[in-house]
Amino acid sequence: MEDERLSHGKPVMEIKVPGGKLVRMSMEDGGRISISGDFFVHPEEGLEAIEDALSGLEEGDARAVLSSLVRDMGIQLVGFDVDVLARLYEGIRHVENNWP
Amino acid sequence: MWRIIGLETRNAADNMAIDDAIAECVASGLSPPTIRFYMWREPGAVSIGRFQSAADELDIEACRRLGIEIVRRRTGGGAVFHDSEITYSVAAPEWYFSPGIHGSYHEICSCIIRGLSYLGIKADFRPINDVIVNGKKISGSAQTRRNGVILQHGTILYGLDRQKMFTVLRPSRLKLSDKPLSSFTDGVTCVKEVTGASIEQLYEALLRGFTRGKEWRLGSPTENELALTKAMIKKYESGEWNFSR
């Protein structure tokens, strides 16, 4: 189940993974990507690395970038996966580009 | 040998800091594997998961009005209203448990299920991290790992003030999308609703459930742990940590 919208002028998208967790992604001022939700990431610092990678992504395949990052840093995602993050990233880019 | 720290009541920042301090001391070999049982000072508290946004998950104004403390946990997972319940924490080397995150959740949650069975309650594990009774959540847990140590804490609901709970908590309705529920209030239950046991009996049952098959002794936090707790409390009291997302 997905929901995408503008919230306080910011593009926001949420996905509830069936049998998993809720993941919310928003684009803050300056294009900074923020991810929140009731999921688990081990180690915790892995989430900031993911946010940094997506915030700095100008062009390219978010799925491939995230897959490499997660593999190289040994990040474990519990309750969601790289595909969910990539869909969220594409979703908020879509909101940013299409909403008035 | 396991150390059990018996049921105690502290404020929100203290509870999170002491769990953190115990896990650090277990990791450095200064403390034995530990199970702690605790409650939260009245009128209760809300803990949010490591990656949640307080503004998205809570009615912060309602928390302030009701005097309910807000604290961010070191562990992931969802927001919890700590009111009439018993919280546990387990801090122990990873190799004490089944390999893998899912296996260790199941293993620790099995202690809760066993404890509830002593009260005549049939409970089941619902992956990833819940215990359910009659299809409704009665317990949730959250785990993190650092320096070879698992820290898992969780709550077992004894009583339930649904109106207050969902005044304070504002979960996204998307969370209902994979459950056969029309509202969050339908999805939770508590010990008091399914048995006449007292909260003291619940504690005794949980103590038995967690310690069965283990060598253990009752203990208290060490001087090292208390010193580390004191240093960590500031973090758990700070807006910088609690409202960092």
Side-chain angles (χ1 to χ4, degrees):
Chain A
M1 183 69 81
E2 301 180 4
D3 175 41
E4 63 180 40
R5 63 185 184 278
L6 277 177
S7 174
H8 303 292
K10 295 183 302 189
V12 177
M13 184 175 175
E14 293 179 344
I15 292 179
K16 170 65 177 80
V17 181
K21 298 299 181 183
L22 182 122
V23 190
R24 179 184 296 115
M25 188 179 288
S26 61
M27 185 178 289
E28 309 294 326
D29 293 341
R32 173 80 191 163
I33 299 294
S34 177
I35 304 167
S36 62
D38 60 353
F39 50 81
F40 300 92
V41 177
H42 303 287
E44 286 90 352
E45 294 75 15
L47 190 70
E48 276 136 39
I50 289 169
E51 289 173 330
D52 288 345
L54 291 176
S55 300
L57 197 63
E58 288 181 7
E59 280 186 42
D61 181 354
R63 197 171 270 99
V65 168
L66 292 172
S67 294
S68 300
L69 179 71
V70 165
R71 186 181 60 243
D72 295 348
M73 284 188 66
I75 299 169
Q76 288 180 280
L77 308 175
V78 180
F80 69 122
D81 58 20
V82 162
D83 187 57
V84 169
L85 291 172
R87 281 164 52 204
L88 286 166
Y89 182 74
E90 289 156 8
I92 61 166
R93 285 288 184 200
H94 178 261
V95 175
E96 183 196 22
N97 293 330
N98 291 283
W99 286 50
Chain B
M1 181 181 288
W2 287 80
R3 172 182 53 168
I4 306 296
I5 299 179
L7 195 61
E8 57 179 7
T9 301
R10 294 173 181 264
N11 70 26
D14 280 11
N15 272 332
M16 292 300 91
I18 198 161
D19 277 354
D20 211 343
I22 290 170
E24 292 290 317
C25 288
V26 171
S28 55
L30 294 171
S31 295
T34 298
I35 300 168
R36 185 167 85 93
F37 294 99
Y38 54 97
M39 298 196 289
W40 306 66
R41 192 162 292 159
E42 288 185 2
V46 174
S47 71
I48 58 170
R50 172 72 177 82
F51 306 112
Q52 290 190 299
S53 156
D56 287 335
E57 304 297 335
L58 309 177
D59 184 334
I60 294 171
E61 185 47 45
C63 291
R64 290 197 175 122
R65 194 173 63 248
L66 296 167
I68 291 166
E69 295 180 294
I70 298 170
V71 71
R72 180 182 298 279
R73 300 189 304 270
R74 198 183 113 182
T75 52
V80 180
F81 178 42
H82 301 281
D83 184 17
S84 175
E85 44 116 87
I86 292 176
T87 305
Y88 76 90
S89 64
V90 174
E94 287 182 36
W95 58 267
Y96 272 53
F97 302 97
S98 308
I101 290 163
H102 294 277
S104 53
Y105 268 123
H106 196 175
E107 195 169 329
I108 296 174
C109 289
S110 295
C111 299
I112 299 168
I113 292 168
R114 188 184 305 127
L116 292 173
S117 76
Y118 297 141
L119 299 175
I121 300 171
K122 186 186 177 316
D124 296 294
F125 178 61
R126 181 172 68 189
I128 302 170
N129 53 332
D130 292 340
V131 173
I132 59 171
V133 172
N134 300 325
K136 299 181 178 189
K137 183 171 174 174
I138 199 166
S139 170
S141 295
Q143 182 185 122
T144 187
R145 295 166 177 232
R146 186 169 293 173
N147 300 323
V149 165
I150 287 178
L151 170 64
Q152 179 167 317
H153 36 207
T155 182
I156 301 95
L157 285 170
Y158 175 71
L160 194 50
D161 181 340
R162 288 179 171 82
Q163 189 179 356
K164 196 171 178 188
M165 177 180 274
F166 292 105
T167 296
V168 169
L169 305 181
R170 293 193 315 186
S172 166
R173 288 196 64 81
L174 274 189
K175 289 186 74 169
L176 294 174
S177 61
D178 62 344
K179 297 180 179 68
L181 299 168
S182 57
S183 76
F184 290 105
T185 57
D186 295 337
V188 286
T189 190
C190 65
V191 169
K192 220 157 87 172
E193 283 180 349
V194 289
T195 174
S198 66
I199 197 161
E200 292 79 14
Q201 288 171 314
L202 171 61
Y203 169 58
E204 292 299 326
L206 290 171
L207 180 62
R208 283 178 63 199
F210 271 88
T211 55
R212 189 175 141 190
K214 295 182 176 76
E215 282 189 60
W216 62 282
R217 62 174 176 81
L218 277 175
S220 302
T222 64
E223 290 300 318
N224 283 326
E225 288 165 344
L226 291 174
L228 198 49
T229 299
K230 201 173 168 186
M232 288 175 163
I233 280 175
K234 281 195 178 126
K235 167 181 153 184
Y236 287 106
E237 287 176 338
S238 72
E240 188 184 357
W241 169 256
N242 292 324
F243 298 96
S244 58
R245 285 186 180 273

